Structures are given as C-alpha cells and as structure tokens.
Amino acid sequence: TQLLEQSPQFLSIQEGENLTVYCNSSSVFSSLQWYRQEPGEGPVLLVTVVTGGEVKKLKRLTFQFGDARKDSSLHITAAQPGDTGLYLCAGADAGGTSYGKLTFGQGTILTVHP
Amino acid sequence: GAGVSQSPSNKVTEKGKDVELRCDPISGHTALYWYRQSLGQGLEFLIYFQGNSAPDKSGLPSDRFSAERTGGSVSTLTIQRTQQEDSAVYLCASSPQGAGVAGGTQYFGPGTRLTVL
C-alpha cells in the first residue's frame, strides 16, 4: 500500500509570510499532483509534476518533485488571505496500474491572517 | 460546459438506514471515481469505473458499500445499514483519460455531506 505523508497538518501564518508544505513517501510515483480545496467544494487541481527534479511555478506558488519521485514540496511566497484552504498532494501509481488511481496525503489546512 | 454534479449536497440519516448518493460526471469522461473525506482530511479512494470494464472496488471499506454506473455516465453509491462511522463527505470525480494514462486530471464534484445519527 502506498502512503503519502503530508506535513504540516496545520499552518497558521500572517499575510506576507512564506511557507512550505511537504509530501513524502517511501514509494515511487509516476506523477504527483497538488490540489487546493475550499470549504463545501471539491478539490481543484493546481499542478501535476511528472519528471524527477521538476520545478513548476504558478504565480507565487512553486512546486517541486523530488529526484527519486518519492517526495514533493509546495512553497508559497508572500502568502495572502486568499491562499487560505486545504492543500492536498496526490501521487499516481508508478507500478503497473496506470489508470490514474491517486493516493492522497492527509492534507494541510492553511490559514493566512490579514 | 457543466462540471461534475452530485446530489444531494447534504444527507442526514439514522443509523441502520440505507442511502444513495448520485454523481453526474462531465459528459464524455470515461473514468469515474468515488472518494470519502473525513473533516479536513485527505481523500480515501473507494471505487473506480472505466468504460465497460469491471470496476476497481478495492477501496470499498465493507460489503455495505456498493456502486453502479449506468450507461457509462451517472453513478450511484449505495451505503446499506449506515453506521455513524460512515459520516463523511463523499466526493465523485471524473476524468477524460482512459486506462493507461497515469495521473490523469480528475475533476471533482462538490461532494455529498453524509451525517449518520
């Protein structure tokens, strides 16, 4: 069974601060996705990283996939109250079953105070 | 076009009752997934449908849980003899990619919040 350990579970910061969320596993994933979810809604895909060592930027968000494709990080620069939400990482199975079944981390609840 | 829709948005039921949750995927999407999410937590995979293939039921927590997908479109998740530990948000997602495409983009519905009293 593949597991994704996501940390921290909770993050409460002031507007303008930087933060990093980590997603770690002992398993290799073919790709890793990051989602953001707001209350009462389903998760929305932010990014997919596929290649080991890949770095993708989405405005103030920087996503990195580990060289061994076992871990990933999300870094937010100068956080804003609008960044508040639940952030989820999800890994796609690298071995055999390649239909897009995702293993989700436990999520990080981010609160950015004005 | 319309996104994934789910109904009802909220369901309150008594322990021991059966419930049915509905998912309407995005038109043309061949893959459909059901997940369960406890408050503020990650998603737990339940079941996956791909076209006319046999569904992957490996995530269903017990035989009280079952799901169908009629005509390759609408899906219904049924929970029989509900228990309090079944209380959670049940999310449905669909994807345009077929089997063999790892990490395909999944589009989620808003979920059904189930409360078992």
Side-chain angles (χ1 to χ4, degrees):
Chain A
T1 302
Q2 295 180 310
L3 293 175
L4 268 174
E5 296 291 331
Q6 194 172 336
S7 62
Q9 188 175 355
F10 300 95
L11 202 49
S12 180
I13 62 173
Q14 294 296 126
E15 181 176 3
E17 292 183 1
N18 301 332
L19 67 109
T20 302
V21 178
Y22 299 93
C23 193
N24 296 295
S25 177
S26 58
S27 303
V28 176
F29 293 99
S30 62
S31 64
L32 198 136
Q33 300 180 337
W34 285 90
Y35 290 81
R36 178 167 172 261
Q37 184 179 20
E38 298 195 38
E41 299 181 7
V44 175
L45 180 67
L46 295 174
V47 76
T48 301
V49 285
V50 179
T51 306
E54 182 176 4
V55 176
K56 281 191 174 179
K57 292 191 175 183
L58 186 66
K59 297 183 179 178
R60 292 176 294 101
L61 279 61
T62 302
F63 305 86
Q64 185 164 6
F65 202 13
D67 291 341
R69 292 187 289 134
K70 293 182 179 181
D71 54 84
S72 182
S73 64
L74 157 61
H75 182 78
I76 301 179
T77 304
Q80 299 177 0
D83 296 328
T84 294
L86 174 66
Y87 289 81
L88 296 158
C89 63
D93 192 351
T97 53
S98 57
Y99 51 66
K101 179 179 176 179
L102 297 176
T103 299
F104 280 83
Q106 307 96 311
T108 295
I109 297 175
L110 171 64
T111 304
V112 182
H113 301 280
Chain B
V4 178
S5 61
Q6 292 186 245
S7 61
S9 56
N10 283 284
K11 177 71 176 179
V12 180
T13 189
E14 294 179 346
K15 177 181 174 181
K17 300 284 189 181
D18 298 350
V19 295
E20 285 189 352
L21 312 179
R22 177 188 169 102
C23 172
D24 281 273
I26 295 173
S27 178
H29 281 194
T30 59
L32 187 148
Y33 305 80
W34 281 98
Y35 296 90
R36 180 168 68 175
Q37 184 177 33
S38 299
L39 186 62
Q41 295 293 306
L43 278 64
E44 174 189 4
F45 167 79
L46 296 178
I47 188 169
Y48 159 76
F49 295 89
Q50 172 53 49
N52 295 320
S53 301
D56 178 349
K57 305 179 182 180
S58 61
L60 294 179
S62 77
D63 59 8
R64 296 187 295 105
F65 289 72
S66 62
E68 291 183 342
R69 188 178 186 192
T70 55
S73 181
V74 171
S75 177
T76 301
L77 177 68
T78 301
I79 308 174
Q80 296 178 311
R81 305 181 302 281
T82 52
Q83 303 295 313
Q84 289 182 333
E85 59 263 29
D86 299 334
S87 295
V89 175
Y90 289 81
L91 290 158
C92 173
S94 69
S95 175
Q97 287 90 348
V101 181
T105 300
Q106 296 185 17
Y107 298 84
F108 284 85
T112 293
R113 180 174 297 279
L114 174 67
T115 303
V116 182
L117 302 177

